[in-house]
Amino acid sequence: QVTPMESGGGLVQPGGSLKLSCAASGSRFSINAMAWYRQAPGKQRELVASITNGGSAYYADSVKGRFTVSRDNAKSMVYLQMNSLKPEDTATYYCNINAWGPSFPSTNFWGQGTQVTVSS
């Protein structure tokens, strides 16, 4: 099994930047896609950005040009650089890792989430 652990959330002023990190831990696994989701109070969880193991990235329209997703395969980590933050980016951000191993099929694993608050 795989356990994703997010870090890097916090309070930032509008226009500011934050970088989220997610580390995947476990034994004997291989990672396919890695992604970031977010969920604001009263709203559904939504996909923010994803990246394949080949490095192809996808972004939600609401974050294009402001957020950048990247990954370090050697460290089993995924990052989300968030620039020009807006109050509407306020949400709990979740790391999602699709992985497989000798004891389990391709499975989506979720982190516990990290809070991002954009406010003056």
Side-chain angles (χ1 to χ4, degrees), residues 19-20 22 33-37 47-52 55-60 63 65-72 77-82 95-96:
K19 185 175 183 178
L20 305 183
C22 175
M34 307 176 88
W36 289 95
Y37 287 73
L47 175 63
V48 175
S50 65
I51 185 166
T52 67
S56 296
Y58 162 86
Y59 298 95
V63 306
R66 300 188 297 122
F67 290 11
T68 302
V69 62
S70 61
R71 62 190 283 170
D72 185 332
M77 293 193 68
V78 61
Y79 307 95
L80 186 68
Q81 177 66 47
M82 306 184 292
C95 174
N96 175 277

